[in-house]
Structure formats: C-alpha cells, structure tokens
Amino acid sequence: MLSTRDLVAGYDERTVLDGLDLELPADAFTVIVGPNACGKSTLLRTLARLIAPRSGSVLLDGKAIQELPTREVARRLAVLPQSPLVPEGVTVADLVGRGRQPYQRWWRQWSEEDSAAVERAMVLADVAGLADRPVDTLSGGQRQRVWIAMTLAQDTEALLLDEPTTFLDLAHQVEVLDLLHRLRVERGRTVVAVLHDLNQAARYADHLVAMRAGAVVAAGPPREILDADLVREVFGLDCVVVPCPVTGAPLVVPALTSPTLATTTVVPSGAAPSALDATSPTGSTGVTPAGSENALAGSYPSEGH
Amino acid sequence: MTAPSRARTVAATTGEPVATPSVAARLPGRSLLRLGPLSLQIRRRSVLVAAVLVVLLAAAAVLSLSLGTPYVAPADVLHALSGAGTPYDLVVLDLRLPRVVLAAVAGAAFGVAGTLIQSVARNPLASPDVIGITQGAGLAATIALTSGAAAVVVAPAALAGGLVAAVVVLALGARHGLAAQRFVLAGVAVAFALRALTEIVMITAEAIDGQRAQIWLVGTLAGKGWAEAAWIGGALLVLLPVLAWAGWALNSSALDDDTARGIGLRPVARRIGLAGAGVLVAAMVTAQVGAVDFVALVAPQVARRLVRSERPPLVCAALLGALLLVLADLAGRRLFAPTQLPAGVLTAAIGGPYLMYLLLRGRKRSS
C-alpha cells in the first residue's frame, strides 16, 4: 500500500535518500534496519509525510501522499515518531484521545465512535488500567504502549514506528514487538518499523528492508535474505548466522573479534568469517533445553508464509 | 480507496467483549457538552474555576464601584446598576462603571493574548509584554506623544507599532516553523532594541512630553472608559470565531510537531494562526490602555495552575486577567488616594507574588 518512486529526501543541505524506489507490502510487518545515519529514519519520516520529499514521491495506494489532505492520510496511516515529547500532566486517556483528532472538528470534539475507538485502543495496548494516570508519571515501557495506543485510536490500516523499542529494557522491547506482531496477525494491520536490533528484526519481520548509505541493499523475508554476507555488506561486521533456537529465524552473532573474549574454545577464530552456511554447529553454548524451546516456539504463531 | 473502510470493519467485527461503554473511554476530568450539532469537551475543573472567577470578578467590580469619594454602599451600587434611577447614578454609572468595564475587558484581552502566544511558543515567557509587541506599541505611542501629533493618533499609531514589531518577531522566529526557543529569543531581542529606541526618543523630547509618554508606557486607565472598552471588546467579538477554534486547537499545542503531523494537523499553520490572533488582540488592547505589564504573562500561568491543565486555559485566563486588572485599577485608585497609581504598576505587584506562591506550592507537590 506504501511505495516510493525515485524518492529524494533529506534535511537542509544534506541529501540522505537519493532516488529510492521501494515497495512495502500490505498486511505485513516490515522492519527497516541499517547502520546509524543510513537514512532509515529519514525514510520512515518521509513515508509518514513528516518531511516532504525534495523530489520523487511517496505513494499511498497509488496516490502521492503529499497531495492528499493530511487529515485523510491520518485516517489511513498512523505514525509514532522516535521520541515524542510527553506533554506535562496529560492523562493516558486524554493522550490516547488525541489520536481521534483526524475525525474531529472544533464543533464536533467527541463522538461515541471516538469513545469506542479509544477504549479499543487502550485495551489492545493494555493501558486501559492506566486511563486516569498522567503520562509523565509512567515508566518507559508503559509510556511507549500509551503512544502506540494513541496511534491505534486513529483506526488506520497502516502503522509506522520509528525505533519504538529504543530506551526500553529487553522485556519491554519484547512486549512492544509482540503487540505490533499481534496487530499484524490478529487485526491485519500493515506495520512498518525502524529497529536497531537485527535479531529482533529477523524474529518479527515478514519483510526486511536492509539499508546502507541511503539506499536499499536487500529487501525480502528475513529467512531468505538475512545471511552473513548481507550483514557484512550493510554493517561492515563479520558474523555468524545460525537458526534461532526458539523461532528458527536467522540469528546474527558477531564473529569473534578478540581471542580473549572466548573463555572456552567455542569457535575457531578463523572459521567465523567463512561460516556462511547457517547449519554449521557454531555458537552452541548454553542453548535453551529442547523441552522449553518447543514450549516457547509454540507461543509464537508462525510467520505464515 | 477501500483501505479505510476495511480498517474500520476489522475493528468493528473484532469488537472486544470488554468494549461495553464505560467511564474508562471517557476523557478523565472532562464532560461532553452537546448543543445541537455541537459537541464540546469541557474540563470539569475549568468550569468550577471559571464559576469562582466570575463570582470574584463581580465582587471586585462592585467593590470598585463602591469605594472612592464619595463612598457608595454596595447595596446602592447594585440598585444603581439595576437601572432604578438613584442619586448615585452619576458616580456609579457615569464616572466609575466605564473604567471598571474597561479594566475587565482589557484584562480579559491581555489574558487571551498571553494564553495564545504562550501556548504557541510553549513558553510562559512568550507573553506580548516580553516579546516586543508592547514595546513596539510603546515606541510608536512615544513618538506620537512627543512629536506633537493629535491625541487621536496615539492609539492607531500604537496599534500599528505593536503589529509591526510582531511581524518582525514572527519573521525572525519563523525559520524552522516558529520553533519555540527561537521565537522567544527573537522577541526578547526586538523588545530590548525597541525599549532602547523609546528611551532615546523620550530623553530627546521636551520634559512634559516625555512625562506623558512615561505614563502611557506604564499603562493607566485614568480618564478612559467606554470608547476604549468598545474598541477592545469589538476586536474580541470580531475574533470570537477564531477564539472558539483556538480553544480547541490549543489542545494540541503541547504535542511536538511530528506527533501533531501524524494525527493530521498542520502545526506550523496552526501556530501562525494562533500567534496571529494573539498578536492582534495584544496590539489592540495595548494601543487602548497602554503598556500594562504582566497581566498577559501571569494570568495564563495562574489559570493553568488553578485548572491543573497542561496548557493555559483560554476562558479562565481571560477571567483571571479581568479580575487582576480590575483589582489593580482599584488598588491604584485607592491605595494612596488622592494620589492615583497607574494600574500597570500594581498588576505586577499583585500578580507577581501570587505566581511565586503557586510556583513554591507546585514545587513542594512535585518533589
């Protein structure tokens, strides 16, 4: 539903994206990865019409997004910016209610539909119990769920998120990603997120977009495209890619960079760069026991390809 | 084009069993006001605060109509106001009422202007008397008063001066879409430059003209009444549709630009609209009553703390501004009677300590 045509975008004098063509599949969880300053946030912000392209266009269902009324876009596409400013003293329900803005006017500030949508969004993001709390008193993980609830209240088909897990601890990262996964699987939403963690990207994405220096290096299902070559090309890092013991998705483990890091002789130091086939028995220290592995794997619906 | 409807049906068919309409989905602390096609979100605490302020304003007005030489008992003031025809009609209705009404209208206008500009800049310092609008009006008025121009020219000149200063500030602050910091900094710089120019004009003028300008610059309601109140009230009335929209639009002023764009707003256009309305009101009221300091700065901040909202509330700030200026004018008239102090001197004397008190109390609560 979202695509770019010959997109050129950037800030002030600096051109970040230079002639980007990209197709983002509908009803999929797309994750954009890449090194710092590769233009992934710029891409997401341009896709969400937060910055205007210098030339080329972003197409939403075939129409240039810049030419559509911004309210109409906001009913079809919601975006969570990287670190939104938390307004002081605003309650959770109030903030989630702001997501109804595209359906409101100053003479029609609230409707039954608004109430229903806010309620649904708060239940879905598991913040209904916090409705009366001021957002600035919440923990980072709760806050992020509130922001996601706000975007859910927009009732859009697509949801774009710029590094939604940054500044969260591991458990809260998983919580947020699980929520996004559920939105895709249970609600059929199109989700596009910029993530830093390759392994999380591989675990949750249906469609992975790897970027470097403002260009797309590879795009496709992570199980098909994510290998040691790609990681080296994109991040300039040698690594070993093995199947994740829990999900079977590609798991990226940086190669041994210093012999003093290895306490036991796990990987021959010379083997890592050439360990292209993921089936090689590398890095198998302390893997989860088989029983719990199955139990964990069972709790995650398969990616459904 | 089928996308939105499909998204809607997805949500509808999976309607959560939990979705029995409950209080949770209502906005905490707010009620809905339905009037025909209108449905407005009303903060319950603002209604309470506004009601208290209206009562206090009425009491202050009656007090101001009553105190003075001669003293008129409040009962007689009310009797005179009812139009019954009393011996006090001349003192209450003709001498004191115009000035009290002017104080209320001008105070309300300062409150509105301060709320709009402070909210746009997300900075309490961005009030018209800090960011150069008052100083622009002051410079123009000083030039008019010291150059021997006719008295009728002073107000239009001040209005023009305030607007020109505002345009300069907005133009300087406009890069990066009126980013808050830049806007305030530009305003402070312009204010200082204009104040220096005003000093130069005053010093080089005849002493008597300089003194007249000095009084204008402090802001006084002495010798003013219906005509000035009508100008300010008229401006507020003309801007009423804009203000009705502003009351709603200010709700999103606390959101950052990306978030605002994401929910379908155009934050820069919105800020220009809100700031433009605020500047017009500020220039208009300053042109009529002079540079009354501090009301526009303090009224929105005190109102915000009373209502406990994240941004200054428009109606309560207007009522508070009105109350503050009525009290300041009363104090100026009576405190050192028969010597009259300009209201502008006392607004800061009354409003300042109260804001300090609220700041201290707020710090204790948050720590």
Side-chain angles (χ1 to χ4, degrees):
Chain A
M1 63 173 297
L2 266 174
S3 58
T4 70
R5 289 288 132 75
D6 198 21
L7 184 68
V8 180
Y11 305 95
D12 295 329
E13 305 301 304
R14 203 161 55 90
T15 301
V16 180
L17 307 173
D18 201 356
L20 194 77
D21 286 297
L22 186 65
E23 196 79 37
L24 295 178
D27 303 331
F29 188 168
T30 298
V31 175
I32 306 171
V33 294
N36 291 334
C38 72
K40 52 191 192 300
S41 276
T42 308
L43 173 61
L44 193 101
R45 285 163 52 85
T46 317
L47 286 172
R49 52 99 172 75
L50 300 183
I51 45 181
R54 212 166 287 163
S55 68
S57 52
V58 171
L59 303 178
L60 177 61
D61 291 329
K63 287 195 188 129
I65 204 167
Q66 289 293 332
E67 281 153 33
L68 293 168
T70 181
R71 281 168 65 88
E72 194 196 316
V73 175
R75 293 181 208 165
R76 297 162 64 181
L77 178 155
V79 57
L80 179 57
Q82 193 164 359
S83 37
L85 188 80
V86 177
E88 210 178 311
V90 172
T91 59
V92 168
D94 200 347
L95 190 64
V96 176
R98 306 288 165 94
R100 298 303 294 170
Q101 178 79 41
Y103 302 90
Q104 297 167 337
R105 292 288 191 181
W106 72 261
W107 63 86
R108 197 183 57 239
Q109 299 180 358
W110 200 254
S111 68
E112 287 308 316
E113 215 178 314
D114 292 338
S115 281
V118 167
E119 173 108 20
R120 271 201 308 273
M122 289 201 297
V123 168
L124 203 55
D126 196 21
V127 293
L130 306 171
D132 291 329
R133 295 268 302 275
V135 181
D136 50 0
T137 63
L138 302 180
S139 73
Q142 291 172 324
R143 240 181 242 196
Q144 197 63 324
R145 291 209 311 270
V146 171
W147 282 114
I148 291 174
M150 189 195 88
T151 58
L152 293 179
Q154 270 176 257
D155 243 338
T156 58
E157 193 199 359
L159 177 56
L160 275 58
L161 308 98
D162 195 355
E163 297 193 19
T165 54
T166 312
F167 306 123
L168 300 183
D169 63 41
L170 187 58
H172 286 122
Q173 291 180 17
V174 168
E175 194 179 273
V176 163
L177 291 168
D178 278 346
L179 169 60
L180 299 179
H181 180 71
R182 278 208 326 271
L183 287 175
R184 207 278 290 159
V185 173
E186 294 170 17
R187 307 288 158 128
R189 308 280 175 100
T190 302
V191 181
V192 181
V194 168
L195 292 182
H196 253 305
D197 189 308
L198 259 185
N199 291 328
Q200 287 176 349
R203 177 179 187 137
Y204 287 96
D206 307 305
H207 188 77
L208 189 70
V209 175
M211 290 182 68
R212 178 177 178 82
V216 172
V217 177
R223 285 162 210 250
E224 290 171 23
I225 65 161
L226 185 58
D227 56 24
D229 281 340
L230 182 69
V231 177
R232 191 179 311 110
E233 190 180 349
V234 170
F235 290 92
L237 179 76
D238 285 329
C239 68
V240 179
V241 177
V242 294
C244 168
V246 176
T247 62
L251 184 68
V252 177
V253 182
L256 200 59
T257 47
S258 161
T260 49
L261 284 171
T263 49
T264 53
T265 51
V266 181
V267 186
S269 57
S274 61
L276 296 184
D277 71 313
T279 53
S280 65
T282 49
S284 52
T285 50
V287 184
T288 335
S292 66
E293 172 187 309
N294 288 338
L296 278 170
S299 69
Y300 290 96
S302 74
E303 305 289 321
H305 280 294
Chain B
M1 284 317 291
T2 58
S5 58
R6 198 172 59 81
R8 197 90 31 88
T9 49
V10 166
T13 49
T14 50
E16 300 282 326
V18 258
T20 40
S22 72
V23 219
R26 311 284 172 208
L27 295 167
R30 300 207 187 172
S31 294
L32 214 57
L33 177 69
R34 285 187 204 282
L35 285 171
L38 278 178
S39 67
L40 307 178
Q41 294 179 26
I42 308 286
R43 225 179 258 272
R44 282 194 289 278
R45 204 176 153 84
S46 329
V47 176
L48 183 75
V49 171
V52 172
L53 286 173
V54 166
V55 171
L56 289 177
L57 180 61
V62 170
L63 199 65
S64 188
L65 292 172
S66 150
L67 295 180
T69 322
Y71 168 78
V72 181
D76 293 326
V77 167
L78 292 176
H79 204 212
L81 283 175
S82 69
T86 64
Y88 309 108
D89 278 8
L90 176 71
V91 172
V92 173
L93 299 183
D94 294 344
L95 294 179
R96 291 183 191 160
L97 186 61
R99 189 159 159 180
V100 171
V101 170
L102 173 62
V105 173
F110 277 122
V112 165
T115 299
L116 292 175
I117 300 174
Q118 288 179 18
S119 305
V120 166
R122 285 190 223 124
N123 190 329
L125 280 181
S127 93
D129 43 353
V130 177
I131 61 160
I133 298 164
T134 305
Q135 288 76 12
L139 175 61
T142 305
I143 292 173
L145 286 165
T146 55
S147 64
V152 286
V153 180
V154 178
L159 177 63
L163 290 178
V164 168
V167 168
V168 172
V169 171
L170 289 174
L172 284 172
R175 282 189 55 195
H176 308 295
L178 276 183
Q181 285 282 345
R182 194 186 165 89
F183 177 57
V184 175
L185 211 57
V188 170
V190 168
F192 270 101
L194 290 170
R195 200 172 293 140
L197 284 176
T198 308
E199 292 288 333
I200 293 171
V201 173
M202 277 210 295
I203 288 166
T204 54
E206 300 278 335
I208 181 78
D209 289 337
Q211 203 162 18
R212 277 168 60 207
Q214 187 65 52
I215 289 171
W216 193 97
L217 284 176
V218 178
T220 177
L221 305 182
K224 294 173 185 161
W226 291 128
E228 288 81 5
W231 276 108
I232 301 166
L236 287 178
L237 215 59
V238 168
L239 285 174
L240 201 61
V242 180
L243 296 178
W245 165 77
W248 166 242
L250 285 173
N251 270 332
S252 60
S253 62
L255 298 175
D256 62 275
D257 283 6
D258 274 0
T259 308
R261 282 194 192 100
I263 57 173
L265 299 174
R266 283 171 295 150
V268 176
R270 196 162 257 239
R271 277 205 292 274
I272 290 171
L274 290 170
V279 162
L280 270 176
V281 173
M284 192 67 188
V285 61
T286 307
Q288 295 301 329
V289 301
V292 176
D293 263 338
F294 215 60
V295 179
L297 191 152
V298 82
Q301 290 306 312
V302 172
R304 183 173 83 85
R305 282 166 177 80
L306 291 176
V307 173
R308 295 190 195 138
S309 61
E310 78 281 5
R311 50 101 180 165
L314 201 57
V315 174
C316 288
L319 287 170
L320 202 71
L323 176 64
L324 183 57
L325 199 51
V326 168
L327 287 177
D329 187 48
L330 170 64
R333 275 199 301 129
R334 297 308 307 159
L335 225 45
F336 300 99
T339 307
Q340 292 208 1
L341 289 182
V345 172
L346 284 147
T347 47
I350 297 171
Y354 191 57
L355 182 60
M356 285 182 225
Y357 160 72
L358 286 178
L359 285 171
L360 282 174
R361 207 185 55 169
R363 196 169 54 187
K364 213 176 288 169
R365 187 180 297 152
S366 64
S367 64

